[in-house]
Amino acid sequence: MKKIISTMFVAVAVALCSYPSIALGKGLDDLSDQNPEVKDPDSKTGDEAAPAANAATGETATTTATNQAPVSHEGAMHQKLTFSTSFGWVYASRSEGDWRGSGMSDLTVGYRYLTMSPKLSLVGTYRYAPVNVVGEIDGNSYRGVWESHYFGSKADYKLNSKIVVTGGMEAGYVLVYLTPTDGLETASKHEDNGVSITLGGGADYLMTENGAFTIGPRLNAGFGSFNTVQVAASAGFMF
């Protein structure tokens, strides 16, 4: 009897000793399956999934980047349209009468229509150039304005990074407006309009890096029904 009890005691002791190791091993297996570092071999990261998604739609990263190229916002007028004004001394005369100029200012609009090289370009121009005059003709004294409208073309040559020389030719129509100073009525023949051809030139100093603002001297000489010589200082703006 004692032998049987001893045998049962030994068997129970062996079972109790072996059970914790079995339970511990089972718990480790469960924890191992839940470890975030253990990944499903079939799963893919975001970087790995992106090419697959692009492949499914027939697109690649390169194609997407190409389709998103930057769009230029510069219009057709960029670095072509210019406005300038000048003011200075003027000599004025015409074939009949004794006239003199008392001042002249002008306003010019230009458009660069041809770039022949990085240094040379051609610019079409319109110039509004009124001349204040006083004079005497056929015994009548007047003061008034010779209002000139010129159309022409000029060449701009970039001498260096700061200086541009310019020169061109214009053809204009001159409108005459006179007011008598002696109390007599204005004779209509004294207000006859006419034409003028002008040759002019000068230089521009670039005040900004992109040439948006310039200043410089101007010399214009006009011939025809009206003769003018203008020496002026000019300021220009480019857009």
Side-chain angles (χ1 to χ4, degrees):
M1 186 68 178
K2 292 183 180 180
K3 184 176 182 180
I4 294 174
I5 293 174
S6 299
T7 301
M8 292 178 62
F9 179 80
V10 171
V12 172
V14 171
L16 291 176
C17 291
S18 60
Y19 178 79
S21 63
I22 294 172
L24 181 60
K26 184 177 180 180
L28 291 175
D29 292 339
D30 294 339
L31 291 175
S32 177
D33 292 339
Q34 297 175 6
N35 191 332
E37 295 182 357
V38 178
K39 300 178 181 179
D40 187 349
D42 294 334
S43 64
K44 297 181 179 180
T45 63
D47 294 338
E48 296 170 342
N54 291 335
T57 59
E59 297 180 357
T60 64
T62 303
T63 303
T64 304
T66 302
N67 293 337
Q68 296 177 352
V71 178
S72 174
H73 297 285
E74 295 181 356
M77 295 292 184
H78 182 68
Q79 295 292 304
K80 291 184 177 182
L81 186 64
T82 60
F83 292 90
S84 62
T85 184
S86 66
F87 178 81
W89 172 87
V90 62
Y91 163 82
S93 68
R94 62 182 306 182
S95 57
E96 297 180 354
D98 181 19
W99 302 91
R100 63 184 182 274
S102 61
M104 180 178 180
S105 61
D106 60 24
L107 175 66
T108 302
V109 180
Y111 179 77
R112 180 175 288 106
Y113 63 88
L114 180 61
T115 300
M116 304 179 69
S117 72
K119 289 188 174 183
L120 180 63
S121 60
L122 299 181
V123 180
T125 61
Y126 162 74
R127 185 165 67 99
Y128 171 67
V131 181
N132 296 318
V133 295
V134 294
E136 184 177 330
I137 181 173
D138 295 337
N140 299 104
S141 298
Y142 295 99
R143 68 173 181 271
V145 176
W146 296 348
E147 190 175 88
S148 304
H149 299 267
Y150 291 103
F151 293 89
S153 182
K154 66 173 184 173
D156 287 346
Y157 182 79
K158 194 170 184 178
L159 194 63
N160 54 46
S161 61
K162 285 294 185 180
I163 298 177
V164 175
V165 294
T166 182
M169 183 175 69
E170 303 168 312
Y173 189 70
V174 183
L175 304 174
V176 178
Y177 302 96
L178 298 176
T179 300
T181 60
D182 52 13
L184 301 177
E185 185 178 354
T186 302
S188 58
K189 65 177 182 179
H190 296 162
E191 290 188 307
D192 287 345
N193 302 325
V195 296
S196 177
I197 303 297
T198 300
L199 300 176
D204 288 323
Y205 182 80
L206 279 60
M207 300 296 292
T208 58
E209 292 295 331
N210 60 357
F213 177 57
T214 61
I215 59 173
R218 287 291 187 275
L219 174 62
N220 295 304
F223 309 92
S225 303
F226 303 83
N227 300 318
T228 57
V229 177
Q230 178 196 17
V231 179
S234 174
F237 304 88
M238 179 181 289
F239 298 89

